Amino acid sequence: HAMTTKPVLHGDNGSTLKATTVLAMLYWLGVKPSYSRPRVSDDNAYVESLFRTAKYRPEFPDKGFADLDEARAWASHFVRWYNHEHRHSGIRYVSPAQRHAGDDTAILAARHALYLQARERHPRRWSGVTRNWTPIAAVTLNPERDAVVKARSGCVDTQPLAA
């Protein structure tokens, strides 16, 4: 038989969504409340950052979407752009697809060489070192938790993560 699922209302851990009257209304409507945990992929900070990126895309419709199919089509194009074209600062301005394929190492090495050439040609424009183009060793949502887990398990991190 087909399993029915309740719609979910996801929010932060604020008092509004936890208020008894709101919870009673959600229960009455058949809506399951969901709460964020800090520094996980559906934490409000991450979701709001993603929403902001989406809303400020030039092709985002000012007046909303005509229907659900139009919204889904737009979201599909956005996800493709976000993963294959958008350069993310947290991974040294390569796309997630480039990072996932391992292409970031060659791209970042080429950028580093270009910066060194520019500094050599115009040394007065440079006050010190060039930008750090070393590949990011690991990407994590919970660096604090990961450090605690490593410390308790006796693992030693021989290469510190770049900020």
Side-chain angles (χ1 to χ4, degrees):
H1 72 91
M3 185 175 158
T4 59
T5 58
K6 287 184 174 184
V8 175
L9 177 63
H10 186 75
D12 60 15
N13 280 304
S15 58
T16 305
L17 191 55
K18 290 183 173 182
T20 306
T21 53
V22 173
L23 289 173
M25 178 62 78
L26 292 176
Y27 179 78
W28 182 74
L29 293 171
V31 175
K32 178 183 173 186
S34 168
Y35 303 103
S36 289
R37 294 180 326 272
R39 296 176 307 280
V40 296
S41 61
D42 65 354
D43 180 7
N44 265 7
Y46 292 100
V47 173
E48 287 174 13
S49 176
L50 180 64
F51 285 162
R52 185 180 192 286
T53 301
K55 288 188 320 189
Y56 284 89
R57 292 293 302 146
E59 68 277 4
F60 190 84
D62 292 338
K63 296 183 177 18
F65 299 101
D67 55 31
L68 184 58
D69 288 336
E70 184 178 287
R72 285 179 173 157
W74 187 91
S76 177
H77 290 290
F78 172 77
V79 168
R80 176 156 189 9
W81 168 83
Y82 189 83
N83 287 323
H84 294 274
E85 297 174 41
H86 182 54
R87 305 304 186 242
H88 293 252
S89 62
I91 52 175
R92 304 266 197 253
Y93 299 98
V94 296
S95 73
Q98 291 168 325
R99 172 70 174 91
H100 183 70
D103 298 337
D104 60 326
T105 302
I107 292 167
L108 297 173
R111 286 182 190 164
H112 179 62
L114 185 67
Y115 269 58
L116 291 176
Q117 291 170 4
R119 187 175 68 176
E120 203 172 291
R121 270 188 247 130
H122 305 284
R124 285 188 288 229
R125 292 183 185 174
W126 299 82
S127 61
V129 297
T130 64
R131 181 180 285 217
N132 180 358
W133 290 117
T134 57
I136 299 295
V139 178
T140 180
L141 289 174
N142 295 306
E144 302 89 359
R145 186 199 67 201
D146 294 346
V148 169
V149 169
K150 281 182 183 178
R152 289 190 178 159
S153 67
C155 294
V156 177
D157 191 4
T158 58
Q159 183 179 11
L161 296 177

